[in-house]
Amino acid sequence: MNECHVDGAAIIARYDAVVEKVAEAARNSGRNPKDVKLIAVSKRHPAEAIKILNKHGQLDFGENYVQEALSKQEELAELTVNWHFIGHLQSKKAKDVAGRFTLIHSIDRLALAQKLQNRMQMLPVSGLDGERKVQDILLQVNIGDEAQKSGVDKDGLFELAEQVAAFPQLRICGLMGMPPASCVAEEARPFFSNLRILRDELVTRIGIPMEHLSMGMTQDYVQAIEEGATFVRIGTEIFGPRPY
């Protein structure tokens, strides 16, 4: 990956401003700021930028592309980082991400979940008790009903959740969703509200605790927090425009 000049002071200043905005949005909606976790979306940004923010105290970083993410994990292996895979995941790439991410946000079909489960079964057991590793995941929902966007449709969510919940080495922790790109700020709010309602219905229906809602990006994370987001995924507002 090509390295470029990294203005660490500017990144830290933007990051600190975002952290305060996230906390303010949480407080304004009657929530504890500690209940909303900021994921710094570092795709297409150099590893040095991640290192700067990590030393400043940020632990959670989101990546969209498997090979880029694995390369950064290797380069930054000495750091304590919670890696989140937030991009579209091809079934053939499941073997590469299994057990390597704190949370995979984009499970949207049974075939992908099956491949991930199969790979998890192949990983060595952990600990003296011989327990097998469990991969935490979110189910991605196509909350805007967009033909071109990934995610299970709302009508198929409950069936998918029941099927995936049966896999012993996958743990469903909640839902992820993105409103249509044309909907920003207040226009995105109904989509976030609908995702929260779907999560609550899912918990009631299949009886599995699912605390997380991954929703909200640079243009709409305030509204997402107000509607219950536990993860917000922010890249440009922290790192600046992506280098290409």
Side-chain angles (χ1 to χ4, degrees), residues 55-69:
K55 290 182 177 180
H56 190 61
Q58 174 67 15
L59 297 179
D60 293 87
F61 292 86
E63 292 286 336
N64 288 61
Y65 308 111
V66 173
Q67 292 310 123
E68 179 184 349

Side-chain angles (χ1 to χ4, degrees), residues 30-86:
R31 302 178 63 197
N32 187 334
K34 293 181 179 180
D35 293 336
V36 183
K37 188 164 290 186
L38 168 62
I39 298 174
V41 179
S42 45
K43 69 174 182 181
R44 300 300 192 200
H45 291 285
E48 181 61 26
I50 297 174
K51 186 180 296 186
I52 289 168
L53 271 192
N54 183 256
K55 290 182 177 180
H56 190 61
Q58 174 67 15
L59 297 179
D60 293 87
F61 292 86
E63 292 286 336
N64 288 61
Y65 308 111
V66 173
Q67 292 310 123
E68 179 184 349
L70 297 182
S71 175
K72 287 176 178 176
Q73 287 181 2
E74 182 177 355
E75 184 173 351
L76 301 172
E78 79 282 1
L79 302 182
T80 299
V81 173
N82 297 325
W83 294 102
H84 296 254
F85 190 81
I86 62 176

Side-chain angles (χ1 to χ4, degrees), residues 133-219:
K133 295 179 180 179
V134 174
Q135 175 66 65
D136 286 342
I137 63 170
L138 302 179
L139 300 181
Q140 182 177 352
V141 184
N142 187 348
I143 54 175
D145 296 321
E146 299 172 275
Q148 76 280 13
K149 189 170 286 185
S150 300
V152 59
D153 62 62
K154 289 172 283 190
D155 292 337
L157 172 62
F158 297 109
E159 180 181 7
L160 176 63
E162 288 174 339
Q163 292 170 326
V164 175
F167 293 138
Q169 288 173 258
L170 301 184
R171 178 166 48 224
I172 306 174
C173 300
L175 304 180
M176 185 267 264
M178 293 176 285
S182 59
C183 296
V184 299
E186 284 301 316
E187 295 172 334
R189 186 183 295 276
F191 297 96
F192 299 143
S193 176
N194 288 340
L195 191 65
R196 185 190 69 245
I197 291 169
L198 281 172
R199 189 276 311 272
D200 293 346
E201 291 177 349
L202 191 58
V203 168
T204 300
R205 184 160 171 175
I206 69 174
I208 296 176
M210 300 180 190
E211 63 174 308
H212 289 304
L213 288 171
S214 174
M215 57 188 194
M217 297 184 288
T218 292
Q219 68 273 20

